[in-house]
Amino acid sequence: MTPATARTAPYRKFISSNRAELGLLALIRLLQLASPALPVGAYTYSQGLEWAVESGRIRDEASAGAWIGDVLTGAVGRFEAPLLIGLLAAWSAADAAEVGRLNADFLASRESAELRAETVQMGFSLNRLLADLRDPTLGCVQATLALLPEIAFPTAWAGIAAAWSIEPPAACAAYLWSWAENQVMAALKAVPLGQAAGQRLLAELGTRIPTVVGGAQSLPPAAWSNYTPAYAICNARHETQYSRLFRS
């Protein structure tokens, strides 16, 4: 080691340590965003899964896994996930116009009144949480969201993730995991299923998420699609379901 290298070694060690801490902080913030404890009421929604159980489409662990997996790779993976990637890019570029456009696109894509009400309610709750967090790094997110007449949940979620410097692939993976976890929890209550079955479902769904994220990053907007008729019908039919546990 030369004298110059010896003199700069402590500084390099400090920089490396500082980067590691920042990386861990981003991970912790990501876990916070993906946590079931996030106060947005996600646990009160099943996104049509409850009607799928009522109609007999979902009746056991295998059919629950098939249903959730198909929605993950179809409606969510081919529309919601790439739109989230687009939102993350727009927030990082401080492009308020693009944030607003993608927010409107997502609202327009909701196939039923319940699905639309769900994302607006969750977006409202997440926007309200922004002020309660008292984090100055989120000020620009609050200012942009204040310009929107209605806020879709992924719009607010992506804004926080971008402000907290979370990398898009990790953010998208966590968003999908949170969605899958909520769907599995709904299945556990509605089918019902046991806890071990829920963990098997999550383990299998987790293996799909990296592929879905990779596809979302490369899918051009012209190819985005949430065309899943059975999913849309179940969401619409849930609106008149007589006995139910969930709001969608």
Side-chain angles (χ1 to χ4, degrees):
M1 181 181 293
T2 66
T5 302
R7 287 195 301 272
T8 59
Y11 298 101
R12 292 200 306 275
K13 184 177 180 180
F14 171 77
I15 292 171
S16 177
S17 176
N18 192 46
R19 286 176 178 169
E21 288 183 7
L22 290 175
L24 284 176
L25 179 58
L27 173 60
I28 290 166
R29 292 288 182 256
L30 183 58
L31 292 172
Q32 182 178 358
L33 275 177
S35 171
L38 195 69
V40 295
Y43 68 93
T44 64
Y45 299 102
S46 80
Q47 297 191 354
L49 184 144
E50 188 173 26
W51 173 257
V53 173
E54 176 75 12
S55 65
R57 291 176 179 270
I58 297 177
R59 57 195 175 277
D60 53 22
E61 179 182 342
S63 54
W67 177 271
I68 300 170
D70 285 348
V71 176
L72 172 64
T73 57
V76 177
R78 292 186 59 81
F79 184 81
E80 195 163 343
L83 186 138
L84 182 77
I85 295 291
L87 280 167
L88 289 164
W91 279 111
S92 297
D95 189 342
E98 181 66 0
V99 169
R101 186 187 72 80
L102 290 171
N103 181 75
D105 281 357
F106 188 76
L107 290 173
S109 75
R110 301 300 82 194
E111 297 100 326
S112 72
E114 284 186 350
L115 272 182
R116 193 180 192 284
E118 172 186 336
T119 196
V120 170
Q121 179 273 305
M122 290 173 63
F124 173 84
S125 297
L126 196 52
N127 183 43
R128 186 172 60 183
L129 179 65
L130 284 171
D132 294 336
L133 287 174
R134 302 173 187 174
D135 184 343
T137 64
L138 300 176
C140 60
V141 180
Q142 290 179 272
T144 300
L145 292 180
L147 302 174
L148 303 176
E150 290 183 305
I151 302 166
F153 175 67
T155 304
W157 197 95
I160 298 174
W164 281 346
S165 301
I166 298 169
E167 292 297 322
C172 189
Y175 184 91
L176 294 174
W177 171 261
S178 182
W179 175 88
E181 186 176 40
N182 192 66
Q183 286 285 285
V184 168
M185 290 303 297
L188 260 62
K189 296 173 186 175
V191 174
L193 299 175
Q195 294 294 328
Q199 290 303 308
R200 285 192 295 269
L201 288 172
L202 283 172
E204 198 281 326
L205 291 165
T207 64
R208 301 190 187 196
I209 288 177
T211 300
V212 174
V213 172
Q217 289 181 280
S218 59
L219 195 67
W224 295 1
S225 173
N226 65 339
Y227 181 67
T228 45
Y231 175 68
I233 290 169
C234 283
N235 276 288
R237 293 296 299 272
H238 186 270
E239 294 176 5
T240 56
Q241 185 172 335
Y242 176 70
S243 178
R244 55 186 182 172
L245 297 172
F246 300 95
R247 298 169 66 183
S248 73

